[in-house]
Amino acid sequence: MSKPHTSPGLWALAWRRLRGDKIAMVSLAVVGAFFLLVLASASGLVASNWEDEVAVSYAPPTFVGADKDVAADGAIPLADERSAPTPVNVLDPLADDIAELRAQMGSNPSAGVEMYGVTDPLADDLTALRAGMGKAKKLVTHKAATLPFGADKWGHDIIQKTIKGGETSIVVGLVAALLAVVLGTLFGAVSGYFGGVVDDFFNWFYSIFTSIPSILMILTVAAVLQQKGVLTIVLILGLTGWTGPYRLIRAEYIKHKAREYVMAADAIGASHWRKMFSHIFPNVSHVALVQMSILVVGFIKAEVILSFLGFGVPVGTVSWGSMLNEAQNELILGKWWQLTAAATAMAVLVTAFSLFTDALRDALDPKVK
């Protein structure tokens, strides 16, 4: 006996439409690759040592070639010593100079008495400490003259820095979008379902937020919160971005609350919250999902703008916005590779996410057959 035929649900139909859209699948693959990089960066598998100074300052990309003033081993020689770069003592770069100076002054470095009879109270301790270091103080570092995509002012690898910056920007975009959609869905559900005075109150609140330009509202909340940090950026974007989801979810709840399945739930004594979130919300969840995917793109760009203006991530935290902030000074010196890396990564992700969002919206639209 054959099983009865069951029609596919909304999500099955949406996935079938997405699989038939080649642009959507390529975009999904690009977005998935970025998310995998974020997970690898957060777990320390990649870009964990992005703060290491592995190259000379502003080391150019390999395909450009090394700077003429930089030696093959990465050292920057003086004008009259270009053929013999001087190695640098990592642990004590002034140790040799101090010893030579004391020898010229005619005093014993370990004796604690300098020229003119002035006593150095730390001389004995420094001597004992240096003796305990053994050969460690002779370690010499050699920095690369070029990197595949160059280095910044401090010699950080631009590739690793871009990956780590992407982790911050993407996480901020995702979490802030989730917060905005949760707030917008909650406000829209309550407003659209109950109507009356409740609906008037939320509409008044919505009108206040939308009457102020979004960038001005973001900067206002940033100035009020003041404390910089990733959590602060998430709160700024989430608390100012709920208006779009609210408007759409409210309209969906007004439309669905009068339908038969909601009346049937009311007839069996279901509570208001059960009808709102157990019966109506599953039928409008695709609207929330599309809104979240749209907001992720907008919030990634908003984080870049905030960090570029100085309201973003704190010092010591890298993001695509902070990289662009640094790059504006580097362009004056002709160092374009940090700007190119951050802008290219952001452009590729935003474009892929936007294309996937458009395809997802079309796939979930019940009017598209």
Side-chain angles (χ1 to χ4, degrees):
M1 183 177 179
S2 61
K3 294 182 179 180
H5 175 71
T6 57
S7 60
L10 174 64
W11 298 105
L13 288 173
W15 176 243
R16 184 182 302 173
R17 295 191 188 104
L18 277 178
R19 284 188 302 176
D21 191 340
K22 294 182 179 179
I23 296 179
M25 298 310 294
V26 172
S27 301
L28 179 60
V30 173
V31 172
F34 271 93
F35 283 171
L36 288 177
L37 276 179
V38 169
L39 292 176
S41 176
S43 60
L45 296 178
V46 296
S48 59
N49 56 344
W50 73 271
E51 292 184 289
D52 293 350
E53 299 178 5
V54 297
V56 297
S57 180
Y58 297 129
T62 302
F63 56 85
V64 173
D67 194 336
K68 295 180 180 179
D69 293 334
V70 179
D73 61 353
I76 303 178
L78 299 175
D80 56 346
E81 295 179 349
R82 298 197 182 272
S83 60
T86 303
V88 179
N89 189 325
V90 177
L91 298 179
D92 191 356
L94 299 179
D96 297 333
D97 296 335
I98 292 174
E100 182 179 356
L101 180 60
R102 285 177 171 174
Q104 291 176 357
M105 289 191 298
S107 62
N108 185 359
S110 62
V113 179
E114 299 286 356
M115 190 176 180
Y116 308 114
V118 179
T119 303
D120 183 0
L122 299 178
D124 295 336
D125 295 334
L126 289 174
T127 302
L129 182 61
R130 288 170 177 171
M133 288 181 181
K135 298 180 179 180
K137 70 176 184 179
K138 297 300 181 181
L139 291 176
V140 176
T141 182
H142 295 287
K143 298 180 179 180
T146 64
L147 289 175
F149 282 90
D152 62 5
K153 178 180 179 181
W154 296 274
H156 302 152
D157 190 346
I158 290 297
I159 294 180
Q160 297 192 39
K161 190 174 182 180
T162 303
I163 294 174
K164 196 66 178 180
E167 175 192 340
T168 303
S169 297
I170 294 173
V171 168
V172 167
L174 284 173
V175 179
L178 178 62
L179 176 61
V181 169
V182 169
L183 289 177
T185 300
L186 180 62
F187 294 165
V190 173
S191 176
Y193 180 83
F194 288 105
V197 178
V198 176
D199 189 31
D200 292 339
F201 171 77
F202 279 104
N203 281 332
W204 169 79
F205 196 48
Y206 167 82
S207 299
I208 292 177
F209 265 79
T210 54
S211 64
I212 303 174
S214 57
I215 186 64
L216 182 59
M217 176 65 73
I218 289 174
L219 294 178
T220 301
V221 177
V224 171
L225 295 179
Q226 291 184 348
Q227 183 180 3
K228 292 183 179 181
V230 175
L231 179 59
T232 304
I233 303 301
V234 169
L235 291 176
I236 291 171
L237 298 177
L239 294 177
T240 57
W242 58 270
T243 54
Y246 162 81
R247 178 174 55 85
L248 295 176
I249 294 296
R250 172 181 172 272
E252 291 293 325
Y253 268 78
I254 292 176
K255 181 174 63 176
H256 279 264
K257 71 177 182 179
R259 295 201 170 170
E260 290 79 2
Y261 71 92
V262 179
M263 294 180 180
D266 183 58
I268 62 175
S271 64
H272 291 305
W273 290 100
R274 182 173 180 82
K275 287 184 287 185
M276 289 167 58
F277 297 106
S278 296
H279 295 277
I280 299 179
F281 180 72
N283 293 285
V284 302
S285 58
H286 62 281
V287 177
L289 179 61
V290 171
Q291 282 296 299
M292 181 173 176
S293 60
I294 293 174
L295 287 176
V296 169
V297 175
F299 286 165
I300 289 176
K301 294 187 290 186
E303 184 279 325
V304 170
I305 294 173
L306 285 175
S307 297
F308 182 78
L309 296 177
F311 290 94
V313 295
V315 177
T317 303
V318 63
S319 72
W320 288 339
S322 64
M323 291 177 65
L324 294 177
N325 192 4
E326 295 175 12
Q328 62 179 333
N329 296 324
E330 297 175 353
L331 285 177
I332 301 176
L333 304 175
K335 316 299 182 182
W336 48 266
W337 35 91
Q338 181 165 206
L339 172 66
T340 302
T344 301
M346 185 180 68
V348 170
L349 176 62
V350 168
T351 302
F353 220 122
S354 299
L355 292 174
F356 175 71
T357 298
D358 291 338
L360 180 64
R361 181 166 44 196
D362 294 339
L364 290 173
D365 190 351
K367 300 183 183 65
V368 178
K369 300 296 182 182

